[in-house]
Amino acid sequence: QNRHSVIVQNVGALLQIFFTDAPTIGSFREYCALVDSAKFMRFANLLRGQGIYMNPSNALHSVASTAHTDQDVEKTLKAVAATLEKLN
């Protein structure tokens, strides 16, 4: 739906979003060589402008929680879609 190469990797509720062409990131060495961390930082900062907080450090995990309501998830998905449209 957009022009960005991105993967989401998770273990349970812990997840990471990587801007990369790689199918998976399996080590810190791969992370350093294959992930566009600067793009992730721009992504996180644009999300913050829409009221969605995501740590701008791509090396840290995000956590999904049962405290997040269906409305929270919908708001986040809409913000992510809008952010990806703006992201360069």
Side-chain angles (χ1 to χ4, degrees), residues 19 31-32 34-42 56-59:
F19 287 95
Y31 168 80
C32 291
L34 303 173
V35 173
D36 188 342
S37 295
K39 188 172 193 174
F40 180 84
M41 185 179 295
R42 292 191 306 275
S57 174
N58 193 198

Side-chain angles (χ1 to χ4, degrees), residues 13-29:
L14 298 175
L15 62 102
Q16 284 181 288
I17 300 170
F18 297 122
F19 287 95
T20 181
D21 290 322
T24 63
I25 299 298
S27 69
F28 186 67
R29 185 174 301 220

